[in-house]
Amino acid sequence: MTYKLIDGKAISNSIKIEIKESVTDLIREHSIKPGLTVILVGNDPASQVYVRNKRRSAIETGMFSTVVNLPGSTSKEELLSRIVTLNHDDNCHGILVQLPLPDHLDENEILASIDPEKDVDGLHPKNIGLLSMGSPRFVPATPFGIKEMLMRSNNDPKGKHVVILGRSNIVGKPLSNLLSLKTQGGDATVTLCHSRTKNLEAITQSADVLVAAIGIPEFITYEMVSDGVVVIDVGVNRVEDKTRERGYRLTGDIAFEEVSQKASAITPVPGGVGPMTIAMLLHNTLDAAYRKI
Ligand code: NAP
């Protein structure tokens, strides 16, 4: 089967162009420059890269963006006080706390302290609740990006059996809610799988659309999928590769070479879901700023 590559980089670039145009309009017509603040606690190298990319992309689309760098030893009180200050800052429309946080900080407590109207990561309990109820405000960026990729590559999930592997709060669970909404881009029949799921292979073989978000390199193999499946690979895994100067390469949760022989469409890693996540974060920030008109 010849597959079609779902190019997340190209799709995200066209979304960023649309966002840039809207940012220009917002500034011209309402003198509002969307502002995104990212809080990074500690010095995890991967998180530093993600934060840098988010800020750079925000600035590229004409937004105002700052990064608050805090030491790994930052106390809960200090972090909460920074968030309260940002909650009251009219120039800041979106607040994102980069995850994971150091162990001594309770992620749920910190996320719940963000003003829900500035929660552009969509992880505040109120925004999660709105999504579950079918009236989403800010949808978490990775699931939102997956929905956009499906729609913009002519793979509408409506009426399809979507199988999701992984039930995290940032990907699997919100994606299952999003794709089963009674709305455009939704209306899928969703099966959410995890590490305790029995007969996983029988379930993945029945998927029209398969989303893998588990963090295990090349877990999904040829035998686990059926002909014509649409595959979305969320996983980002470092595997040792001595042929590369840096000593590793990035791979997804899908064995790309073999699964692409059966897939009708498939996302690469890198260049698939990752760039979409940033684009949808910017989309949410723009939306947060528009809500201030
Ligand atoms: P996570 O918190 O790492 O949790 C992993 C999930 O996979 C859990 O729900 C776990 O089940 C499930 N799982 C583990 N082994 C499994 C198996 N053998 N069969 C079926 N399910 C299994 O999940 P995450 O934070 O969503 O991250 C998943 C991957 O996506 C990681 O590689 C991460 O780096 C990547 N990611 C990428 C982006 C992006 O923008 N590209 C964004 C977010 C995450 P249990 O719940 O039963 O433990």
Side-chain angles (χ1 to χ4, degrees), residues 142 165-168 170-171 193-196 200 213-216 219 234-237 253 273-274 277:
T142 303
L165 270 66
R167 56 177 163 182
S168 72
I170 59 168
V171 185
C193 304
H194 45 76
S195 67
R196 310 287 167 89
L200 185 66
I214 57 177
I216 304 178
F219 179 83
V234 186
V236 180
N237 309 293
D253 293 344
V273 174
T277 296

Side-chain angles (χ1 to χ4, degrees), residues 4-9 11 149-150 153 155 230-232 265-268 271-272:
K4 182 170 171 257
L5 196 71
I6 305 179
D7 185 344
K9 212 163 173 203
I11 299 173
M149 282 180 117
L150 289 171
S153 62
N155 289 296
V230 173
V231 183
I232 306 287
I266 187 166
T267 63

